[in-house]
Amino acid sequence: MISSVNSGLIKKARRGDGRAFSMLIENHERFVFNVVYRITGNAEDARDVSQEAFIKAFKNFESYDESSAFSTWLYRIAVNTAIDYIRKRKKENSISFEDYIVDEKNQKGDSGIEEKVISKEGVKNIISAVNMLDDEFKTVIVLRDMEGMDYKEISDITGLPLGTVKSRLSRGRGKLRQMIEKFNLKPETEGRGRA
Amino acid sequence: MKCDEALNIIDMYVDECVDAYDEKEFLKHIETCESCRNAYNEIKRITSELNNAEYLPLPDDFHNELTEKLIKSGKKRNRSRIVKYSAIAACAVLVFMTGAYMKNLYYMASNESYTESADAASANESMSNDMLRSANGASPKLFADGASADVYEGAEAGGTGESTANSYNDTMLSTAEQNITRKIIKTGYISINVNSFDETSQLVKTYMEQNNGYVERSDQYADYDSQTNAYKGKSGNITVRIESTKFSDTMSYIETLGTVTNQSVTVNDITNNYVDAQSRLEVKEQEKERLTELLDSAENIGDIISIESRLTEVISDIESYQAQLNSYDDVVDYSSINISITEKNDESIIPAKTDFVDKAAYNFKNSARTLFSGFEGIVLLVIKLWAPLAVVLVVAVATVVFIKTKKNKK
Ligand SMILES: [Zn+2]
């Protein structure tokens, strides 16, 4: 909930005062930016998309009914905006781990693709491995393992059934394990694998 | 527990959502099965590492850039509002001009019947005065209500037609920006002593009928002297509702009906409440629009369900604000007057009848006005309905001719 000290700002923001809204969200900017960054996997995109999410929140500010936490409400909009964005981006897709696996099978041991993937995406640690997951897995992994949401919250935000959330989560983690093996990634705490 | 079962449960175990029995079985299994234990440890490591990932700092200038965008998108909304009001204003100007045109037609049609306003110029002059009054705010309700009746009221005043359309335009735009006039509820209380309760209440009823008002409530009772128990006469209360514009006329009329013993008027300004309800309504309507757009582009069932449930809420909000505004309009447009009437067979009171001359003059004026407005209404109606009337006329003439020829044949 927004503190009552801010009620003047809220009123102004609801009437369409952009500066008032900007003051309300200032403390949430880093948090929203990072959620979006984790889902989109790209800082430049995250900048645009998180700002777009804030503008969306501003335009829909009347629909925020103050019964839920302001941060949760912002979070929802941010996550949905980021998911929409990667959905659209998928059409102009870049190489993902899925493609990589498929290509590897097709090309039977030709290591050209592997080198390309590694140099392009720079898989240095688990976080960059998450980045290479297909969007459907990446979203649930980010929300569950990085943002600490529970299954129910993820299901609410993404609109996926609980069962789907669970199965995507374990499949996503399975893929991460494969990548860790593939790229020989060591735990952060024990120093990096391939630098 | 077998390996495939154990592997199935790892994630839920890591996320701490397996029941006690499964947990026990799972732990028992990984104690003995090395490959499942490895899988578990690896996932545990992945999740804890991801969980400990740090947030990046915000990119440079993120806040300033965002603030600018927000201010810009806020302004855009205001601009679209002005565009909206300009559009309404333009429509209203159109209605005015149509009204003016009608009025000119009307004057042309009625010139012959009125010796006083024999030439069109004097007619126009009196119209300009009306218009001036209207422009000065005598009839500024137009925008607040937007009801067709009010537009018509304005149209009546728009006498000089096209040449004044521009000045109107300005007035209307400024009215549109202010958006609202004061919303005032007037309530009158008046106590009178009269000779005859029945006669007086009949006069009140008649007056209400003639002036588009109505009696909302009335009661009467017999008065007895508390000591002698002798019958003193009839008393009672009448509550009437009358158009606010006729409030003071009505109060003055009631004063003439007897001896006034008490009189007061309360004025309640509900402009703030009104504007508040109006802006809430506007906000909800914008939200409804957006939700409808959102619904069109929604891609999953979860979104659709949550948008639809929100939409239902918004629509019911809109209805309740609308109902509130309607009830405000009702009390603002119609004033209440509570009349307390006491019958006194007392010589000291001025009987209503002594005001005969005043009343006669009043009634004369009033019925003349009624006649005039009735006539005006008919002429306007004729202009509006000339085509169907012509058909009716032709049919009537044809019928008469038909009957006559039939008679002649006999
Ligand atoms: Zn096992």
Side-chain angles (χ1 to χ4, degrees):
Chain A
M1 240 156 281
I2 312 178
S3 74
S4 56
V5 183
N6 283 336
S7 67
L9 280 183
I10 296 174
K11 244 183 204 170
K12 276 188 175 176
R14 283 196 200 277
R15 281 192 210 122
D17 184 331
R19 194 175 294 280
F21 191 76
S22 145
M23 288 162 85
L24 278 177
I25 54 155
E26 190 165 4
N27 291 330
H28 301 279
E29 282 174 0
R30 184 165 173 215
F31 153 80
V32 164
F33 168 78
N34 273 278
V35 175
V36 173
Y37 166 64
R38 287 169 174 185
I39 294 173
T40 60
N42 174 313
E44 208 35 58
D45 288 352
R47 183 193 179 103
D48 294 341
V49 174
S50 58
Q51 296 199 349
E52 186 193 326
F54 279 119
I55 288 164
K56 215 185 264 179
F58 175 46
K59 287 182 173 166
N60 289 285
F61 193 37
E62 297 93 3
S63 74
Y64 169 60
D65 61 7
E66 295 184 42
S67 67
S68 62
F70 183 56
S71 54
T72 307
W73 181 75
L74 274 180
Y75 203 108
R76 232 186 139 91
I77 293 173
V79 170
N80 277 311
T81 310
I83 290 174
D84 279 352
Y85 174 76
I86 57 177
R87 253 185 218 143
K88 274 179 216 152
R89 192 180 59 182
K90 206 173 188 177
K91 287 163 193 164
E92 318 136 19
N93 210 353
S94 54
I95 301 170
S96 71
F97 184 62
E98 290 291 278
D99 299 327
Y100 165 70
I101 297 283
V102 170
D103 287 347
E104 189 186 43
K105 273 177 196 159
N106 289 346
Q107 300 187 14
K108 300 222 164 155
D110 183 349
S111 63
I113 296 286
E114 184 181 3
E115 291 308 316
K116 228 187 268 170
V117 169
I118 293 165
S119 58
K120 188 176 177 186
E121 303 285 341
V123 183
K124 293 171 286 192
N125 52 31
I126 291 182
I127 291 170
S128 47
V130 169
N131 221 349
M132 285 186 65
L133 285 173
D134 255 9
D135 295 335
E136 56 190 275
F137 303 116
K138 182 162 68 183
T139 304
V140 290
I141 295 274
V142 166
L143 296 180
R144 169 67 212 139
D145 291 337
M146 299 183 81
E147 301 293 333
M149 298 174 68
D150 64 31
Y151 294 172
K152 177 73 174 60
E153 288 169 324
I154 297 171
S155 157
D156 282 349
I157 280 193
T158 57
L160 295 170
L162 268 181
T164 311
V165 172
K166 281 181 199 170
S167 70
R168 285 194 183 173
L169 193 61
S170 49
R171 285 176 65 199
R173 285 171 181 167
K175 284 170 197 294
L176 284 178
R177 278 179 64 209
Q178 286 180 50
M179 274 196 270
I180 286 165
E181 206 179 320
K182 192 123 239 144
F183 301 124
N184 191 26
L185 299 174
K186 292 269 159 54
E188 286 279 288
T189 44
E190 295 167 19
R192 245 156 232 178
R194 297 161 63 122
Chain B
M1 193 177 268
K2 288 178 185 161
C3 282
D4 54 345
E5 270 181 281
L7 289 172
N8 239 335
I9 232 172
I10 288 180
D11 292 290
M12 292 182 51
Y13 180 77
V14 168
D15 294 327
E16 293 167 355
C17 45
V18 289
D19 59 42
Y21 173 78
D22 283 342
E23 185 177 331
K24 213 171 154 193
E25 291 292 301
F26 176 74
L27 289 174
K28 217 193 274 174
H29 179 84
I30 59 170
E31 214 169 285
T32 53
C33 172
E34 200 192 341
S35 82
C36 285
R37 189 165 61 239
N38 285 343
Y40 165 70
N41 285 333
E42 234 173 297
I43 289 176
K44 187 87 191 151
R45 171 170 78 88
I46 291 171
T47 55
S48 75
E49 195 167 323
L50 289 177
N51 194 35
N52 290 329
E54 275 176 15
Y55 276 161
L56 293 181
L58 270 182
D60 287 344
D61 223 29
F62 184 93
H63 180 70
N64 291 339
E65 191 187 15
L66 177 56
T67 304
E68 241 165 71
K69 283 185 188 173
L70 287 170
I71 290 170
K72 227 189 247 168
S73 74
K75 266 186 193 157
K76 234 182 251 161
R77 298 165 85 201
N78 289 340
R79 208 174 297 138
S80 75
R81 208 180 197 174
I82 290 169
V83 168
K84 197 172 113 196
Y85 285 131
S86 307
I88 296 174
C91 288
V93 167
L94 202 70
V95 171
F96 264 62
M97 287 170 62
T98 314
Y101 175 68
M102 293 261 289
K103 197 80 187 186
N104 282 343
L105 268 186
Y106 157 59
Y107 268 93
M108 274 190 271
S110 58
N111 269 345
E112 292 149 7
S113 346
Y114 285 92
T115 45
E116 274 179 283
S117 57
D119 61 309
S122 81
N124 271 343
E125 200 181 333
S126 75
M127 290 313 297
S128 312
N129 287 337
D130 274 358
M131 188 196 72
L132 214 66
R133 202 154 46 78
S134 157
N136 283 338
S139 158
K141 279 167 45 177
L142 191 63
F143 273 92
D145 296 333
S148 57
D150 293 321
V151 174
Y152 182 65
E153 192 181 323
E156 273 197 328
T160 47
E162 283 176 39
S163 62
T164 58
N166 285 336
S167 65
Y168 254 116
N169 209 345
D170 292 344
T171 314
M172 300 201 28
L173 279 175
S174 68
T175 318
E177 273 158 20
Q178 290 163 5
N179 187 27
I180 195 92
T181 47
R182 308 306 300 172
K183 291 284 176 184
I184 287 166
I185 304 173
K186 268 186 278 185
T187 312
Y189 303 87
I190 184 164
S191 301
I192 48 174
N193 290 343
V194 300
N195 284 329
S196 161
F197 178 89
D198 291 333
E199 192 189 316
T200 307
S201 68
Q202 191 50 53
L203 283 171
V204 169
K205 274 175 201 154
T206 312
Y207 181 89
M208 287 303 140
E209 277 161 21
Q210 284 169 354
N211 288 281
N212 283 328
Y214 59 96
V215 174
E216 192 178 61
R217 204 173 53 85
S218 73
D219 58 53
Q220 51 176 293
Y221 46 89
D223 261 349
Y224 292 94
D225 190 292
S226 55
Q227 284 166 4
T228 63
N229 225 14
Y231 178 68
K232 282 166 62 186
K234 237 189 236 177
S235 294
N237 298 294
I238 303 177
T239 304
V240 297
R241 306 283 317 272
I242 187 86
E243 284 165 48
S244 321
T245 48
K246 294 178 179 165
F247 179 80
S248 23
D249 280 354
T250 308
M251 285 294 276
S252 326
Y253 172 74
I254 295 165
E255 283 167 30
T256 67
L257 297 178
T259 308
V260 177
T261 57
N262 199 355
Q263 186 177 11
S264 66
V265 174
T266 63
V267 173
N268 189 4
D269 189 337
I270 58 155
T271 311
N272 288 344
N273 303 0
Y274 195 93
V275 172
D276 196 47
Q278 226 175 15
S279 57
R280 279 163 198 268
L281 178 66
E282 196 184 316
V283 162
K284 290 289 172 190
E285 266 165 358
Q286 283 172 3
E287 189 185 348
K288 182 183 161 192
E289 231 170 78
R290 274 197 303 273
L291 285 170
T292 315
E293 284 169 16
L294 232 83
L295 198 59
D296 287 341
S297 61
E299 280 177 18
N300 64 51
I301 294 293
D303 287 352
I304 290 173
I305 290 171
S306 60
I307 294 168
E308 274 180 346
S309 76
R310 182 66 199 156
L311 198 56
T312 314
E313 280 171 37
V314 168
I315 288 172
S316 99
D317 286 349
I318 286 177
E319 280 166 1
S320 76
Y321 287 132
Q322 196 61 64
Q324 196 176 2
L325 284 175
N326 288 345
S327 77
Y328 282 154
D329 282 338
D330 181 54
V331 288
V332 168
D333 295 343
Y334 271 78
S335 303
S336 288
I337 301 175
N338 300 307
I339 312 161
S340 168
I341 302 169
T342 310
E343 197 174 74
K344 284 243 162 105
N345 293 313
D346 190 334
E347 307 228 332
S348 68
I349 73 164
I350 306 162
K353 277 169 194 158
T354 56
D355 287 331
F356 177 76
V357 178
D358 283 354
K359 268 166 72 184
Y362 180 88
N363 284 335
F364 177 78
K365 230 172 77 186
N366 201 37
S367 60
R369 203 190 294 158
T370 311
L371 186 74
F372 179 80
S373 70
F375 182 77
E376 181 178 310
I378 287 167
V379 171
L380 283 177
L381 199 69
V382 166
I383 291 169
K384 205 170 162 189
L385 297 178
W386 70 270
L389 276 177
V391 173
V392 171
L393 205 70
V394 166
V395 170
V397 168
T399 314
V400 169
V401 169
F402 179 73
I403 290 169
K404 270 193 177 169
T405 45
K406 220 176 180 184
K407 265 185 188 167
N408 287 345
K409 271 181 188 170
K410 272 182 184 174

